[in-house]
Amino acid sequence: MAQLERTHLAIVRAVDQHGSLTAAAEQLHLTQSALSHAIRKLEDQLGVAIWTREGRRLRPTQAGAYLLSVANRLIPQLTHAEARLRQFAQGERGTLRIGIECHPCYAWLLKVVSPYLANWPDVDVDVKQEFQFSGIGALFGHEIDLLVTPDPLFRTGLQFEAVLDYEQVLVVGPRHRLAGTPCVQPDQLAQETLISYPVPIDRLDIYTQFLLPAGIRPKRHKPIETTDIMLQMVASGRGVAALPRWLANEYAERLGVTAIRLGERGIDKQIFLGIRQAEAGIDYLHAFVELARAHRNHGG
Amino acid sequence: MAQLERTHLAIVRAVDQHGSLTAAAEQLHLTQSALSHAIRKLEDQLGVAIWTREGRRLRPTQAGAYLLSVANRLIPQLTHAEARLRQFAQGERGTLRIGIECHPCYAWLLKVVSPYLANWPDVDVDVKQEFQFSGIGALFGHEIDLLVTPDPLFRTGLQFEAVLDYEQVLVVGPRHRLAGTPCVQPDQLAQETLISYPVPIDRLDIYTQFLLPAGIRPKRHKPIETTDIMLQMVASGRGVAALPRWLANEYAERLGVTAIRLGERGIDKQIFLGIRQAEAGIDYLHAFVELARAHRNHGG
DNA sequence: CTAACTCATGAATTCAATGCATGTTTTGAT
DNA sequence: ATCAAAACATGCATTGAATTCATGAGTTAG
């Protein structure tokens, strides 16, 4: 009997965003009265209050809060579906929404995206770095269509494939005492300043796979947003950083930084591409994975 | 301008299910004309065809197929949201939708569910064993609220917790030549008939962790649906099975079956409970996890 | 205490969704 | 071939649900 419609979701959402029915009405190009009527009717039909009216304020009830969470989850999906359908109309293939879960992933992506865009002029590319939850959650939740990550997940309706093998190395400046050493041991970093991207320590391989097992912590730890600045700091002797070897090499000549193996065996890493299994057949998605795979064989 | 409404999703879905507009109209308690008009309008507004009209048949276009997949994903969520809201109305807390990913999980669940139902009379419990993709996908997709699984996944917006440690053992009948042996080696099973639940081999620990590493395969492999029948078969000497020790013990006296350690160190397993992190605070959900945790400490 | 703002509500109105009647095409049986 | 049945399309009429309008009642702040 009662039907939860898109309008209801939109109203609840708008009220949450704007704080009042009146303001929400404006955004939705409706009158305050319309919203009031609409929600009133829904409340009657479901037999549950969405908001408690406290003075002239609307405070969501438990049911209201739940409805809001549903709205925040579903409305974006509806919106995206519409957009996608319109793209079909214009002969565009669609938008490839790529999610990134690590900084080196981004650097790698830049190399692959440009040839892809050239091959697929009717596909747009969107890159997102922030998700409601994790990248995998974003894949499941249809926030993104493709995930670039160091942490794959098999056997789940998703499909992962490695597209880049690389070595994580220590990068030091030209006059650093360790420059020229073939490899470095954890305790040699005890007096160093470690520069890294601003992510939790348990996401930094140099900690989880190198320093922490040896019980070592660097003297100081400094987070920096961008690779460029990070390496300028390293070049000027203000600290050391851990980066993929291929990324370090790109800066080696220009800045005079050098790469040093972490431990005797080095730290090996991979970057994976993940998609929803059900969509493995979509041509422009498949093509991206193919292109990435080709890149791998050339040696990125 | 164009709005993708719930009706559109419902129509596309119904047409897919029933094969024709006319039949779909009946299910939706509308006329064939209404559906025709509705979709026509949507097509005009979006500028894309949903179906190609081939004779008197409707074949979904690419856009139509896409729309159908969206419908199949979103309509159930809307339906469930409605149901949930009605539950709020009746003072019920909600429905705890539990997903099960392994057979022992089910046996374990049975023990925990009954005290839970007693403590939370206003919560319904639903158990699902089949998902569109994996259990983890079902959690992300809001098909279920709680997952019972041997394969946890950390750091993703989900929250996993171990609720049972147990040993996977070999179960043999009373007159079996191995009965009484303290532990068994892989090659001793080469001439046996192995009875297991009907799941792929790569989901059976006795294969992945015991037989396959040693390069052994049992003489025969027979899948059986239920634990009872499985153990009756074992008791009557028709084969051997691998089960949790605690589960085998429950049948030990009645059927005279005995448990034997697999290898010298045994195979240790865990069962985990997973929920969406955002919902960790929901009282009746939290209570289930608490109850499970308490069970663990008593020794299940 | 009033001015300004909020949401609620009943009645009027509008406009979109639906149904009806009918047309067109396909399908399949005779 | 022919004809009846079945399925979708479409123009027009109708209905009714959603929206607006006008107003009321309550809250807040200066």
Side-chain angles (χ1 to χ4, degrees):
Chain A
M1 185 80 241
Q3 281 283 58
L4 194 50
E5 293 294 335
R6 181 182 184 158
T7 343
H8 301 126
L9 301 182
I11 293 176
V12 169
R13 231 172 156 235
V15 169
D16 178 62
Q17 282 168 16
H18 295 82
S20 81
L21 265 193
T22 317
E26 192 168 356
Q27 179 199 308
L28 298 174
H29 304 294
L30 289 172
T31 59
Q32 167 266 131
S33 175
L35 307 204
S36 185
H37 280 299
I39 292 294
R40 165 50 98 99
K41 187 179 169 192
L42 183 70
E43 289 182 327
D44 286 349
Q45 285 180 332
L46 292 174
V48 69
I50 304 299
W51 299 299
T52 54
R53 280 68 172 177
E54 297 184 352
R56 65 194 198 191
R57 202 166 238 100
L58 299 178
R59 180 205 300 267
T61 61
Q62 196 185 8
Y66 170 71
L67 189 57
L68 177 62
S69 77
V70 172
N72 281 331
R73 176 156 46 88
L74 297 189
I75 291 270
Q77 296 190 47
L78 284 168
T79 308
H80 177 254
E82 271 170 22
R84 184 89 210 282
L85 287 169
R86 284 213 193 75
Q87 286 178 324
F88 276 116
Q90 293 163 25
E92 286 181 43
R93 291 314 178 85
T95 300
L96 186 57
R97 298 169 299 175
I98 305 178
I100 300 288
E101 256 192 332
C102 67
H103 284 260
C105 293
Y106 185 73
W108 171 84
L109 184 66
L110 286 178
K111 294 167 178 274
V112 186
V113 159
S114 54
Y116 179 78
L117 285 175
N119 285 353
W120 294 82
D122 50 0
V123 174
D124 286 346
V125 170
D126 249 18
V127 177
K128 303 194 186 189
Q129 303 208 47
E130 313 241 308
F131 318 110
Q132 199 167 355
F133 302 117
S134 63
I136 287 182
L139 260 184
F140 274 119
H142 288 256
E143 279 177 61
I144 56 174
D145 307 308
L146 183 81
L147 177 65
V148 189
T149 177
D151 304 314
L153 173 63
F154 299 101
R155 193 198 296 162
T156 63
L158 301 182
Q159 216 172 75
F160 279 86
E161 178 170 350
V163 291
L164 180 62
D165 307 80
Y166 65 89
E167 184 190 351
Q168 187 82 343
V169 295
L170 189 75
V171 187
V172 302
R175 271 181 298 279
H176 194 278
R177 66 188 165 89
L178 291 172
T181 326
C183 78
V184 63
Q185 295 304 322
D187 57 347
Q188 295 181 277
L189 299 185
Q191 294 310 311
E192 295 290 337
T193 295
L194 178 64
I195 303 175
S196 81
Y197 298 111
V199 297
I201 281 181
D202 65 352
R203 304 228 47 170
L204 292 171
D205 301 302
I206 191 170
Y207 274 96
T208 59
Q209 295 189 37
F210 189 66
L211 295 175
L212 293 185
I216 305 279
R217 280 183 160 257
K219 198 175 79 183
R220 237 179 100 219
H221 183 173
K222 187 166 177 50
I224 298 273
E225 277 281 347
T226 69
T227 311
D228 290 273
I229 302 297
M230 184 183 293
L231 284 169
Q232 304 240 358
M233 300 274 290
V234 168
S236 67
R238 286 190 170 76
V240 300
L243 287 177
R245 188 181 284 281
W246 55 270
L247 190 52
N249 285 346
E250 291 180 10
Y251 289 84
E253 199 165 328
R254 182 149 34 102
L255 297 175
V257 295
T258 48
I260 308 175
R261 172 157 294 182
L262 285 163
E264 319 220 318
R265 333 204 54 164
I267 296 182
D268 285 325
K269 295 283 299 173
Q270 287 181 297
I271 288 181
F272 294 82
L273 243 46
I275 59 176
R276 287 179 290 275
Q277 208 144 50
E279 297 186 354
I282 296 180
D283 56 358
Y284 64 84
L285 190 53
H286 184 71
F288 191 98
V289 179
E290 281 295 331
L291 188 64
R293 191 181 296 151
H295 246 260
R296 178 186 196 179
N297 297 337
H298 299 169
Chain B
M1 187 76 244
Q3 281 283 59
L4 193 50
E5 293 294 336
R6 181 181 184 158
T7 345
H8 301 128
L9 302 181
I11 293 176
V12 168
R13 235 174 152 231
V15 168
D16 177 63
Q17 282 168 18
H18 295 83
S20 81
L21 263 194
T22 316
E26 191 167 355
Q27 179 199 307
L28 299 174
H29 305 294
L30 289 172
T31 59
Q32 168 266 130
S33 174
L35 307 204
S36 185
H37 280 300
I39 293 294
R40 166 51 96 99
K41 188 179 170 191
L42 183 70
E43 290 182 327
D44 286 350
Q45 285 179 332
L46 292 174
V48 69
I50 304 299
W51 300 299
T52 54
R53 281 67 173 176
E54 297 184 352
R56 65 195 198 191
R57 206 169 233 97
L58 298 179
R59 181 206 302 266
T61 61
Q62 196 184 8
Y66 170 71
L67 189 56
L68 176 62
S69 77
V70 172
N72 281 331
R73 178 155 45 88
L74 297 189
I75 290 270
Q77 296 190 48
L78 284 169
T79 308
H80 176 255
E82 272 169 21
R84 185 88 210 282
L85 287 170
R86 286 212 192 76
Q87 286 179 324
F88 277 116
Q90 293 163 25
E92 286 180 42
R93 291 313 180 84
T95 300
L96 185 57
R97 297 170 299 174
I98 305 178
I100 299 288
E101 257 192 331
C102 68
H103 284 261
C105 293
Y106 185 72
W108 172 85
L109 184 67
L110 287 178
K111 294 167 179 273
V112 186
V113 159
S114 53
Y116 179 78
L117 285 175
N119 285 353
W120 293 83
D122 51 359
V123 174
D124 287 345
V125 171
D126 249 17
V127 177
K128 303 194 185 188
Q129 303 208 47
E130 313 241 307
F131 318 110
Q132 200 168 354
F133 301 118
S134 62
I136 288 184
L139 259 185
F140 274 118
H142 288 256
E143 280 176 62
I144 56 175
D145 307 308
L146 183 81
L147 177 65
V148 189
T149 179
D151 304 314
L153 174 62
F154 299 101
R155 193 198 297 161
T156 63
L158 301 182
Q159 215 172 76
F160 279 86
E161 179 171 349
V163 290
L164 180 62
D165 307 80
Y166 65 89
E167 183 190 351
Q168 188 82 343
V169 295
L170 189 75
V171 187
V172 302
R175 272 181 296 280
H176 195 278
R177 67 189 163 87
L178 291 173
T181 327
C183 76
V184 63
Q185 295 304 323
D187 57 349
Q188 295 182 276
L189 299 185
Q191 293 309 312
E192 295 289 336
T193 294
L194 178 64
I195 302 174
S196 81
Y197 298 111
V199 298
I201 282 180
D202 64 352
R203 304 229 46 172
L204 292 171
D205 301 301
I206 190 170
Y207 274 96
T208 59
Q209 293 189 41
F210 189 66
L211 295 174
L212 293 185
I216 306 280
R217 281 186 158 254
K219 198 173 80 184
R220 238 180 99 219
H221 182 172
K222 187 163 176 51
I224 298 273
E225 278 281 348
T226 68
T227 310
D228 290 273
I229 303 297
M230 184 184 292
L231 284 170
Q232 307 239 355
M233 299 275 289
V234 169
S236 68
R238 287 191 170 75
V240 299
L243 287 177
R245 187 183 284 279
W246 56 270
L247 190 54
N249 285 346
E250 292 180 9
Y251 289 85
E253 200 166 327
R254 182 150 36 104
L255 297 175
V257 295
T258 47
I260 308 175
R261 173 155 294 181
L262 285 163
E264 319 221 316
R265 334 203 53 163
I267 296 182
D268 285 326
K269 294 284 299 174
Q270 288 181 297
I271 287 180
F272 294 82
L273 242 47
I275 58 176
R276 287 179 290 275
Q277 209 144 51
E279 298 187 354
I282 296 180
D283 55 359
Y284 64 84
L285 190 53
H286 182 71
F288 191 98
V289 180
E290 281 296 331
L291 188 64
R293 191 182 297 151
H295 245 261
R296 177 186 198 179
N297 296 336
H298 300 169

